[in-house]
Amino acid sequence: MNSYERLLLHNKAWAAEQVAEDPEYFARLASIQRPEFLWIGCSDSRVPANSITGTQPGEVFVHRNVANLVVNTDLNLLTVLEYAVVYLEVKHIIVCGHYGCGGVKAAMSRHSFGLIDPWLRNIKDVYRVHEAEFKAIADPETRCNRLVERSVVEQVMNLAKTTVVQRAWQKHQSPHLHGWVYGLNDGVLKPLVRKGPGVELPEIYQYDDV
Ligand code: CO
């Protein structure tokens, strides 16, 4: 059997199992989606949003990219964000990084990786801002993990800078923004920051007329 056939076989069994447990399962899911959470995570196959949070289909709206970045010109991310905030009215947005992130490691190196270089530049910029702190950490792995954390906090701030989020805050005091980091070694999620309406953003990022 080809490896991909295993997926189809599992799917068949899974679908049958859901219906056996709850005959209305798919009818209910198909009619509407009202997830409470938007998850912005790394594409890394070891950090699947639903599995590690014990959530089911229908509960989490998901966007994933290399190193879970919130880049203000990324039309893909912005589209997902606006849809989640304006139409789905998610209550929480979670940016989830993970220790040992390959994207962050690559950004810390001086090697060029091709097309991904400008993408990783966003992490290099976070490094530059906290350069003194990173240079004081001797162990490369510890340094990388600290950059993972610093980057997650930065991505949360990037969300707060968007008109989509600021408009929602003015209108209905939500969503709340969360920055978490996942440990590949122990499977544990560690909350780093939580920001809501009234977050202290430098004035220049605050829109008066959203
Ligand atoms: Co990663």
Side-chain angles (χ1 to χ4, degrees):
M1 183 167 54
N2 287 314
S3 58
Y4 72 90
E5 288 177 299
R6 184 167 50 88
L7 308 190
L8 295 169
L9 214 62
H10 271 284
N11 167 260
K12 219 177 215 172
W14 173 79
E17 200 181 307
Q18 300 311 310
V19 175
E21 275 176 27
D22 174 4
E24 297 304 309
Y25 183 78
F26 290 109
R28 213 175 39 249
L29 270 181
S31 67
I32 194 169
Q33 76 156 341
R34 274 258 160 254
E36 204 177 311
F37 311 99
L38 165 60
W39 175 275
I40 300 171
C42 185
S43 298
D44 193 302
S45 64
R46 299 164 295 180
V47 197
N50 286 124
S51 314
I52 65 172
T53 57
T55 46
Q56 301 301 314
E59 289 193 90
V60 188
F61 202 60
V62 173
H63 178 83
R64 290 168 74 174
N65 61 40
V66 172
N68 43 270
L69 298 182
V70 176
V71 176
N72 77 83
T73 51
D74 178 3
L75 192 58
N76 189 351
L77 178 280
L78 293 175
T79 304
V80 170
L81 179 69
E82 184 174 86
Y83 187 76
V85 171
V86 176
Y87 297 97
L88 298 174
E89 296 182 345
V90 294
K91 293 194 179 79
H92 302 276
I93 303 177
I94 298 151
V95 176
C96 184
H98 66 101
Y99 294 121
C101 183
V104 174
K105 266 185 211 160
M108 278 182 69
S109 82
R110 292 177 59 178
H111 183 67
S112 162
F113 294 90
L115 194 58
I116 202 172
D117 291 340
W119 184 254
L120 298 180
R121 242 284 309 283
N122 295 289
I123 306 174
K124 287 181 186 284
D125 291 342
V126 177
Y127 183 97
R128 176 179 50 78
V129 172
H130 306 282
E131 193 165 16
E133 178 189 358
F134 295 124
K135 282 197 162 160
I137 303 172
D139 177 46
E141 199 180 317
T142 310
R143 201 184 313 136
C144 174
N145 288 341
R146 184 65 188 135
L147 182 54
V148 164
E149 295 179 345
R150 285 289 191 189
S151 176
V152 163
V153 173
E154 194 68 29
Q155 307 319 312
V156 169
M157 292 309 283
N158 286 346
L159 283 173
K161 291 172 189 171
T162 64
T163 50
V164 170
V165 167
Q166 289 190 26
R167 196 175 295 134
W169 281 353
Q170 284 191 11
K171 212 171 149 194
H172 35 235
Q173 299 293 301
S174 73
H176 286 269
L177 312 179
H178 307 260
W180 296 354
V181 185
Y182 177 75
L184 292 175
N185 296 330
D186 58 11
V188 175
L189 282 167
K190 178 172 140 191
L192 292 178
V193 280
R194 187 184 157 185
K195 307 261 182 206
V199 55
E200 282 173 29
L201 264 183
E203 262 180 39
I204 195 73
Y205 297 115
Q206 294 176 23
Y207 295 99
D208 289 328
D209 51 0
V210 289

